[in-house]
Amino acid sequence: MRVVVIGATGQLAHDLMPALAAAGSEVIGARHGDIEVTDLESVRASLVAARPQIVINTAAYHKVDDVEETPARAFAVNAVGPRNLALVCRDLQAPLVHLSTDYVFSGRKGRPYVESDAVDPVNLYGISKVAGEMALRYLWPQHFIVRSSGLYGSAGSSGKGGNFVELMLQLARAGRSIRVVNDQRLTPTSTRALATQIVALIGTEAYGTYHATCQGECTWYDFAAEIFRRSGLNPEVAPQTTAESGARAIRPAYSVLENAHLQGLGMDLMPFWQDALVTYLQERVVQRSQPIDSLA
Ligand SMILES: NC(=O)c1ccc[n+]([C@@H]2O[C@H](COP(=O)([O-])OP(=O)(O)OC[C@H]3O[C@@H](n4cnc5c(N)ncnc54)[C@H](OP(=O)(O)O)[C@@H]3O)[C@@H](O)[C@H]2O)c1
């Protein structure tokens, strides 16, 4: 299978491209310099030249707080982008895999969200991702929309400038006192585990919307505590509220996703979040950092 992965320099793509290649696919990584998803003609020129049998879009604008001030860029990348990709993929008869987010939900449900739950985003980033999902469903039925949560991977998020695990390790090793948000529950998900799951899913023709996060749930504070415990570090770490963190955008208080559709197919391969973290810590090779409130 000839696969184009858009967002090739990003965190998820870094793990997805080798996973696809290991499964026997011919992988073409499209970097931002190769394709501009907000520009229909750029999308058409790149994809027509690549002749993909399937396209995976990992490109996004996901600086959640910044989107509140600069929504135009987010809507261009997160909504017009999938629209452009859907149109060209439809012309090429190539299925389109598109990454989405737990932030399409408000968190008010208070129990894990399944794919059939109505979306009700509480920030502009989530609204832009909902718009992208809707454009794709409307334009091109041969799609997989894959919603995930709290991604971390060895490349670090290109858009956010790092990942939460590396930031925690760096702060701890610098002897800094650390405050972490303790009123948002989610499921941190390693891009390595997600990549394995996506490769398995796209081998089917079971198009539709999928939740794909690790199993279990925790707060960002719990996640930080587990990072330190598993790394043998003992920094001074205190919980804080989202309000205290100074975040501009509202966050869902409870954005845990249940991988219900994957379970229905008998192909939920996602590990528990603690196990995925241990795998990451064992294999980590890259260290980056960034301010804490832009990651949570
Ligand atoms: N990170 C999370 O915690 C999280 C949680 C839930 C869902 N997701 C979703 O998962 C997906 C992958 O996330 P990630 O962490 O791997 O993202 P990432 O590291 O920020 O990678 C995004 C990639 O897309 C490229 N890109 C950005 N704008 C583009 C454009 N207009 N045209 C073409 N390429 C563009 C970026 O290149 P440049 O950097 O060169 O611009 C980068 O290579 C996204 O859809 C995101 O919404 C992420």
Side-chain angles (χ1 to χ4, degrees), residues 12-286:
L12 174 58
H14 178 82
D15 285 326
L16 187 53
M17 293 193 293
L20 288 162
S25 288
E26 181 189 349
V27 183
I28 301 167
R31 295 160 301 179
H32 200 165
D34 304 319
I35 187 169
E36 172 52 67
V37 299
T38 64
D39 177 356
L40 180 60
E41 289 320 309
S42 168
V43 170
R44 195 179 300 284
S46 301
L47 294 186
V48 167
R51 293 177 293 107
Q53 290 164 298
I54 188 162
V55 174
I56 304 179
N57 177 36
T58 73
Y61 185 86
H62 51 128
K63 288 181 178 164
V64 177
D65 287 318
D66 291 356
V67 176
E68 296 294 309
E69 315 298 331
T70 54
R73 181 80 194 143
F75 278 84
V77 180
N78 300 338
V80 178
R83 174 264 187 186
N84 292 340
L85 291 164
L87 288 175
V88 176
C89 285
R90 188 176 69 188
D91 288 348
L92 297 174
Q93 292 292 294
L96 175 58
V97 183
H98 175 65
L99 271 293
S100 191
T101 172
D102 53 335
Y103 280 17
V104 299
F105 296 115
S106 66
R108 295 190 194 102
K109 183 181 177 188
R111 286 176 289 116
Y113 284 95
V114 294
E115 291 85 347
S116 55
D117 283 323
V119 295
D120 57 348
V122 290
N123 55 46
L124 285 170
Y125 167 68
I127 292 169
S128 73
K129 293 294 278 189
V130 166
E133 289 189 0
M134 292 179 75
L136 176 49
R137 286 193 198 98
Y138 167 60
L139 291 168
W140 181 221
Q142 290 189 25
H143 63 254
F144 296 95
I145 292 170
V146 180
R147 295 181 183 142
S148 198
S149 166
L151 293 185
Y152 63 93
S154 59
S157 170
S158 167
K160 297 184 180 187
N163 83 43
F164 184 83
V165 181
E166 296 302 332
L167 175 64
M168 290 300 111
L169 293 175
Q170 190 185 53
L171 291 176
R173 292 194 169 123
R176 302 264 295 275
S177 70
I178 302 167
R179 301 187 72 199
V180 187
V181 169
N182 198 32
D183 59 0
Q184 296 171 33
R185 294 190 75 77
L186 73 157
T187 310
T189 297
S190 79
T191 49
R192 198 166 190 275
L194 181 58
T196 303
Q197 181 68 71
I198 290 172
V199 171
L201 179 62
I202 65 176
T204 72
E205 291 186 354
Y207 303 120
T209 300
Y210 289 86
H211 292 175
T213 66
C214 284
Q215 316 292 339
E217 61 180 79
C218 62
T219 67
W220 289 105
Y221 176 82
D222 299 332
F223 187 32
E226 187 73 1
I227 292 164
F228 300 136
R229 192 173 77 81
R230 297 286 188 173
S231 306
L233 297 169
N234 193 21
E236 193 182 313
V237 54
Q240 68 175 354
T241 64
T242 303
E244 287 168 342
S245 77
R248 283 189 301 256
I250 298 168
R251 267 48 173 196
Y254 188 94
S255 61
V256 177
L257 305 181
E258 182 176 336
N259 302 340
H261 280 175
L262 290 173
Q263 289 158 15
L265 287 179
M267 59 184 309
D268 183 359
L269 306 177
M270 299 301 288
F272 276 89
W273 68 264
Q274 296 94 332
D275 296 335
L277 173 63
V278 169
T279 302
Y280 175 85
L281 291 172
Q282 286 168 347
E283 296 181 352
R284 58 191 280 274
V285 289
V286 176

